[in-house]
């Protein structure tokens, strides 16, 4: 795996996350000739070629050409895709799975011996280069393979390496996490409208509050409890609001929601 020889990366699955990975790699300086996309819809293929200048072929051809094959497909489609491309895979290739719940063992059982497998849990903020990607190596994945996957994913956000046993929990926290945040934002905007604010004003207030709060967390490194307490004056407005959230067991609801997401991730893998 010489660093002087460009490796060809195939992205199989050209949905939102597949295109997010592709566009991030292009923005990060990856040349179009180092990339190939597996996509069967002719109109989508033309769109991607026009937008990124990459070759778009069928899945089998993409797997045959590539050194690294990124599978950005739905969990329920993984078995069919692996059955389709497995005859073209060979020892020395690297397969990267970005499907929720799919274990490295599941992929390894369906590809030739000697193919390295790495599992990734991405999330959608990768669309704006603020993604959070958790990676775990399979039985044949070396530190060099993990380095390569980290280089691929760092184009669209942060990367953390974790034991695979933690992947279902990561799916529940950061994989599904953007939806929880959007749900809270949506609820706060609706509350603003209910309290008499124009929707545009409520939206601007909530979104900037979210952006600013996230920046405080990241840039100060202060524990969220401390930051919350700094906003909460005794017997003040924030204290009154937080009391209602505790009465309605919002904290417990988040825990239950994330346990449900973890359990669903396990079920998808089964």
């Amino acid at each position: 795996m010489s660093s002087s020889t460009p490796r060809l990366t195939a992205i199989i699955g050209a949905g939102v996350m597949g295109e997010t990975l592709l566009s991030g790699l292009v923005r990060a300086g990856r040349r179009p000739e180092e990339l190939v996309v597996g996509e069967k819809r002719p109109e989508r293929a033309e769109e991607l070629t026009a937008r990124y200048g990459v070759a778009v072929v069928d899945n089998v051809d993409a797997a045959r050409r590539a050194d690294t094959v990124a599978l950005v497909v739905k969990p329920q489609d993984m078995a069919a895709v692996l059955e389709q491309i497995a005859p073209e895979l060979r020892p020395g290739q690297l397969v990267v799975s970005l499907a929720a719940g799919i274990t490295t063992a599941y992929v390894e059982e369906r590809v030739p011996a000697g193919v390295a497998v790495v599992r990734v849990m991405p999330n959608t903020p990768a669309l704006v280069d603020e993604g959070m990607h958790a990676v775990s190596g399979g039985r044949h994945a070396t530190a060099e393979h993990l380095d390569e996957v980290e280089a691929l994913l760092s184009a669209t956000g942060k990367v953390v390496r974790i034991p695979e046993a933690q992947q279902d929990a990561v799916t529940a926290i950061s994989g599904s996490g953007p939806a929880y945040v959007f749900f809270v934002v949506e609820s706060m905007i609706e509350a603003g409208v209910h309290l008499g604010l124009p929707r545009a004003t409520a939206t601007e207030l909530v979104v900037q509050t979210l952006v600013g709060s996230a920046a405080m967390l990241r840039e100060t490194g202060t524990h969220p409890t401390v930051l919350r307490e700094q906003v909460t004056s005794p017997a003040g407005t924030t204290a009154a609001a937080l009391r209602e959230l505790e009465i309605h067991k919002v904290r417990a609801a988040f825990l239950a929601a994330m346990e449900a997401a973890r359990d669903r991730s396990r079920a998808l893998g089964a």
Side-chain angles (χ1 to χ4, degrees):
M1 197 182 294
S2 172
S3 59
S4 61
T5 304
R7 291 175 60 85
L8 182 64
T9 298
I11 299 172
I12 293 180
V16 172
M17 190 56 70
E19 185 175 1
T20 295
L21 178 59
L22 173 62
S23 63
L25 290 171
V26 171
R27 289 195 304 277
R30 193 68 65 96
R31 299 195 306 274
E33 56 267 29
E34 296 176 54
L35 301 165
V36 62
V37 176
E39 172 57 51
K40 61 185 178 183
R41 295 170 293 168
E43 66 282 1
R44 180 62 168 156
E46 291 176 9
E47 180 184 350
L48 293 171
T49 299
R51 188 174 297 164
Y52 303 105
V54 295
V56 183
V57 298
D58 61 52
N59 292 347
V60 172
D61 195 14
R64 182 187 302 119
R65 294 190 194 187
D67 301 294
T68 298
V69 180
L71 301 176
V72 197
V73 300
K74 295 177 182 177
Q76 53 268 38
D77 295 336
M78 182 63 79
V81 170
L82 287 172
E83 183 178 4
Q84 182 184 36
I85 69 171
E88 303 302 327
L89 298 176
R90 58 195 179 276
Q93 278 180 300
L94 169 61
V95 170
V96 185
S97 167
L98 285 82
I102 300 299
T103 65
T104 57
Y106 180 97
V107 178
E108 287 167 348
E109 289 170 2
R110 291 162 173 79
V111 299
V115 173
V117 178
V118 173
R119 176 180 175 182
V120 177
M121 187 64 242
N123 69 8
T124 56
L127 280 164
V128 291
D129 296 341
E130 290 289 352
M132 184 69 252
H133 311 291
V135 304
S136 305
R139 286 183 301 165
H140 307 297
T142 65
E144 194 173 12
H145 290 126
L146 290 171
D147 287 343
E148 181 180 344
V149 173
E150 190 164 328
L152 283 173
L153 298 173
S154 61
T156 57
K158 297 184 69 174
V159 183
V160 61
R161 299 183 187 185
I162 62 167
E164 187 169 7
Q166 297 175 1
Q167 279 283 3
D168 293 317
V170 168
T171 300
I173 300 298
S174 62
S176 299
Y180 316 148
V181 175
F182 300 144
F183 184 85
V184 170
V185 168
E186 181 184 6
S187 300
M188 290 177 68
I189 291 171
E190 292 302 324
V193 173
H194 176 75
L195 294 173
L197 293 171
R199 183 171 296 276
T201 301
T203 300
E204 185 174 7
L205 290 169
V206 174
V207 171
Q208 183 55 35
T209 298
L210 175 70
V211 170
S213 301
M216 285 182 70
L217 282 166
R218 182 157 67 180
E219 294 175 17
T220 68
T222 304
H223 194 281
T225 300
V226 174
L227 293 175
R228 176 178 58 77
E229 289 174 347
Q230 289 173 355
V231 185
T232 311
S233 302
T237 59
T238 308
L242 292 173
R243 179 173 178 272
E244 290 299 318
L245 293 176
E246 292 292 0
I247 288 172
H248 290 282
K249 296 182 170 56
V250 171
R251 196 185 302 265
F254 269 105
L255 174 58
M258 294 182 199
E259 286 178 335
R262 177 206 59 195
D263 294 345
R264 181 57 181 156
S265 178
R266 289 175 176 170
L268 288 170

